[in-house]
Amino acid sequence: MQNLSVVVVCKNAGKVIGETLQSLQGVTDDVIVYDNGSTDNTLEVVAGYPVQLHKGTWEGFGQTKRKANSLAKYDWILSLDADEAINTVLKASLQQFSPEHEAIVYDIAFNNFFGNTWLKYGEWGNDHHIRLFNKTLVNWNDSPVHEELMMPQNISVKKLSGAVLHRTAESIGDFEIKMKNYAALNAEKYFAKGKKAAPAKKWLSSVFSFIQNYFFRLGFLDGKAGFKCAVISAKYTFNKYKILESLWKKIK
């Protein structure tokens, strides 16, 4: 077993967290599951695996992930969401993991799935994120949504072989609900920072989003799933600026 911890933050993830935890078997003796008030069968599923279950309140993505990381036994952290399993190649890379030094982070490819369709193009194609790092030097910021890792200037980035299998949504309805929630959170984030947008912004940005993801990024090559994802992303952009506009109107 490796001297690294896997930290999974979840809520109402009963449909997907089992696949994630199963994929992690044999990687480490320290898998942390930090649950934020699940009301489905998430806790029952988690109980079937040799993991450390902790319960806590939701404080936004950044702060919640930071709190979950503080519970890890080891300094090296693989940070995952409940719908992010690892493939066999990534599992082998983690089992052989031997960091060159502490001031390094590892960038991992993401295979994003819409239902059972692997999205190879569009917004979700060629996706990758830094998810393996040493928590003594690197950690999440306090952003409530679209959290980012805070890294010192001398940090180096290295690719890690393998991929995270990200189950973005099981159905169109689930994906739309997810993106509506993200739109509201991002609008509130912009509002808190004093960011404003012209009334035309919601229209122009949403149209550009669709054109960019469906045509420029070749989302049409993913077929029906690519079209649906491009439409939902455009709706997300529209809703984000519409909500931001309404927040400013409330204080006038």
Side-chain angles (χ1 to χ4, degrees):
M1 295 289 185
Q2 286 289 23
N3 290 333
L4 67 87
S5 298
V6 181
V7 179
V8 182
V9 173
C10 70
K11 181 179 180 180
N12 292 337
K15 294 180 180 179
V16 292
I17 197 168
E19 179 183 355
T20 298
L21 297 181
Q22 183 61 43
S23 72
L24 294 169
Q25 298 304 294
V27 172
T28 175
D29 64 349
D30 191 46
V31 176
I32 303 294
V33 175
Y34 190 79
D35 184 82
N36 309 125
S38 290
T39 55
D40 65 354
N41 67 330
T42 297
L43 299 183
E44 288 80 0
V45 175
V46 171
Y49 293 89
V51 303
Q52 306 294 323
L53 174 63
H54 297 268
K55 300 177 184 179
T57 57
W58 178 251
E59 300 177 23
F61 285 94
Q63 289 191 36
T64 302
K65 287 186 175 183
R66 285 172 63 88
K67 182 177 287 187
N69 285 351
S70 70
L71 300 169
K73 180 180 8 178
Y74 302 115
D75 290 337
W76 284 96
I77 302 284
L78 174 64
S79 180
L80 296 174
D81 292 337
D83 57 0
E84 296 173 349
I86 63 173
N87 70 2
T88 55
V89 178
L90 179 53
K91 184 173 185 176
S93 295
L94 294 170
Q95 289 172 329
Q96 300 165 16
F97 178 63
S98 181
E100 300 170 17
H101 49 79
E102 292 181 352
I104 189 170
V105 294
Y106 292 85
D107 193 29
I108 305 173
F110 270 56
N111 294 344
N112 296 294
F113 290 83
F114 184 68
N116 293 319
T117 302
W118 176 12
L119 300 171
K120 300 179 182 180
Y121 304 95
E123 180 180 8
W124 298 95
N126 193 31
D127 194 20
H128 57 92
H129 300 280
I130 293 170
R131 288 297 189 85
L132 180 56
F133 51 87
N134 191 299
K135 68 178 181 180
T136 63
L137 295 177
V138 177
N139 217 322
W140 299 103
N141 61 13
D142 291 334
S143 179
V145 66
H146 286 176
E147 67 284 3
E148 297 177 347
L149 287 170
M150 300 182 295
M151 299 182 285
Q153 292 184 346
N154 66 331
I155 211 80
S156 57
V157 181
K158 186 175 182 179
K159 294 282 187 181
L160 197 63
S161 296
V164 169
L165 307 177
H166 179 206
R167 305 290 177 182
T168 58
E170 188 174 335
S171 66
I172 298 175
D174 289 344
F175 194 31
E176 287 185 326
I177 292 171
K178 189 177 190 178
M179 296 304 281
K180 283 181 180 178
N181 291 334
Y182 276 128
L185 289 170
N186 269 298
E188 291 168 1
K189 176 182 175 181
Y190 287 171
F191 180 71
K193 291 184 175 181
K195 182 174 181 179
K196 297 182 179 181
K201 179 78 170 180
K202 58 182 179 289
W203 297 103
L204 295 175
S205 295
S206 58
V207 170
F208 178 74
S209 172
F210 178 82
I211 293 173
Q212 181 183 49
N213 291 320
Y214 193 63
F215 294 106
F216 296 162
R217 293 177 176 169
L218 307 179
F220 63 87
L221 293 178
D222 283 324
K224 186 182 293 185
F227 176 77
K228 291 176 180 177
C229 283
V231 169
I232 293 172
S233 291
K235 287 182 178 179
Y236 155 79
T237 302
F238 180 87
N239 289 330
K240 177 176 64 177
Y241 289 113
K242 182 180 179 180
I243 295 170
L244 178 62
E245 186 179 345
S246 67
L247 289 173
W248 281 109
K249 285 181 179 179
K250 287 180 181 179
I251 64 172
K252 287 184 177 180

